[in-house]
Amino acid sequence: MIRAIFGILFVVLYCIVSIPILLVETLIRKRWPLKAEMSMLRIVQGAFRILLRITGTTVTVKGLENIPGDEAVLFVGNHQSFFDIIISYSQMKTRCGYVAKDHLAHIPILSWNMRFLFCLFLNRDDLKQGLETIHRAIDYIHSGISVFIFPEGTRNKSGDETCLGEFHKGSFKIAQRTGCKIIPVSFNNTASIFERQFPRVSREHVVVEYGKPVAYGDLTRDEQRHIDTYFRDILTEMIRKNQAEE
């Protein structure tokens, strides 16, 4: 419980400290938007890395060279834990917005941080709002901002990390409409940090792998037609391969 308590205290402290930081960054953004966005990215990354140290989480990262620093891509990953976002965001080289559940948009301060960092809030029960979110994500890609989405739509609570939920095919329309590359991202053992023994936080070793970028245009017609299954199979194999290193 000690790690959980210190983790919560750190998050609360960061939220308080982030208020004046966001005010300053918002003013800077009016004149130098890219500088403000990149500096906020580094600040949040620093906070996430401290949080990982507090929780005793060690991370083995594979395929870091596959994260581009000069083009926008679509990241697609399996989803087991809140820590999937904390871990992967810590490794982004440039601006990247995450697609998150819409209830997070109503949490004060946190939602302000998320919006500044291009996060998109998705209500999967509202088709119109969902389409608007996808269109905004497409605009982000065209503006040079990567997008990270979890095609399962929610955290996988099956207990078997190789048993992925069905992927929402609409998640891949971002790549279909923009022609951007798709990078599969696998997470191993992240649910063991927190979710499996809630409310305790456990000291764990996790493995994250960034797969080779896949250009949508290089896929065959059949692969494009079944793109959800195609990437689900890729991620399942990546997770299975990395289980030996957990």
Side-chain angles (χ1 to χ4, degrees):
M1 282 297 291
I2 296 297
R3 280 187 288 271
I5 292 170
F6 277 111
I8 291 170
L9 289 174
F10 177 77
V11 171
V12 172
L13 177 62
Y14 172 78
C15 286
I16 294 171
V17 172
S18 72
I19 296 173
I21 293 175
L22 280 167
L23 287 171
V24 172
E25 292 286 16
T26 300
L27 292 174
I28 296 173
R29 196 182 204 177
K30 292 179 179 179
R31 185 163 185 180
W32 300 287
L34 183 58
K35 287 185 178 180
E37 291 155 8
M38 288 300 296
S39 65
M40 196 64 198
L41 166 66
R42 302 307 178 208
I43 289 170
V44 173
Q45 285 180 325
F48 281 171
R49 287 167 185 153
I50 292 172
L51 184 58
L52 290 173
R53 288 187 181 183
I54 291 172
T55 57
T57 304
T58 57
V59 185
T60 293
V61 184
K62 296 181 175 182
L64 199 59
E65 69 279 1
N66 291 325
I67 302 178
D70 57 354
E71 65 176 305
V73 299
L74 175 66
F75 294 97
V76 295
N78 63 302
H79 196 19
Q80 304 179 69
S81 170
F82 295 115
F83 279 83
D84 298 335
I85 298 170
I86 294 170
I87 292 168
S88 56
Y89 196 75
S90 301
Q91 295 148 5
M92 292 295 107
K93 296 177 181 178
T94 188
R95 298 172 299 168
C96 180
Y98 282 66
V99 177
K101 288 185 177 180
D102 64 331
H103 70 266
L104 294 174
H106 306 295
I107 301 177
I109 305 177
L110 175 62
S111 61
W112 190 12
N113 274 267
M114 293 176 72
R115 285 190 173 94
F116 194 98
L117 296 168
F118 301 103
C119 286
L120 296 167
F121 301 100
L122 177 63
N123 180 354
R124 293 193 181 276
D125 296 325
D126 186 333
L127 180 60
K128 181 180 179 181
Q129 192 270 343
L131 289 173
E132 289 175 356
T133 299
I134 295 298
H135 287 148
R136 286 191 64 193
I138 291 169
D139 290 340
Y140 280 179
I141 296 292
H142 285 313
S143 300
I145 302 163
S146 294
V147 175
F148 201 122
I149 194 166
F150 299 103
E152 291 171 282
T154 188
R155 285 179 290 121
N156 188 337
K157 302 174 184 177
S158 68
D160 179 358
E161 59 188 6
T162 63
C163 184
L164 303 184
E166 293 299 317
F167 279 18
H168 294 273
K169 191 173 289 188
S171 302
F172 298 91
K173 288 189 179 295
I174 300 166
Q176 180 184 1
R177 300 284 181 83
T178 63
C180 73
K181 294 175 182 175
I182 306 170
I183 298 180
V185 187
S186 65
F187 297 91
N188 280 70
N189 202 40
T190 52
S192 296
I193 302 171
F194 179 61
E195 280 79 3
R196 286 180 186 165
Q197 66 283 322
F198 175 85
R200 294 187 300 109
V201 170
S202 176
R203 185 189 298 271
E204 296 290 340
H205 172 252
V206 303
V207 182
V208 181
E209 181 172 5
Y210 296 87
K212 295 286 185 182
V214 177
Y216 184 85
D218 290 343
L219 297 174
T220 66
R221 283 194 175 184
D222 187 62
E223 289 168 342
Q224 290 178 0
R225 191 177 302 114
H226 303 288
I227 194 168
D228 51 337
T229 304
Y230 178 82
F231 278 97
R232 187 173 181 268
D233 290 345
I234 288 177
L235 284 169
T236 299
E237 183 56 33
M238 290 169 67
I239 294 166
R240 185 175 289 117
K241 177 190 65 175
N242 291 326
Q243 282 184 322
E245 299 185 33
E246 292 180 9

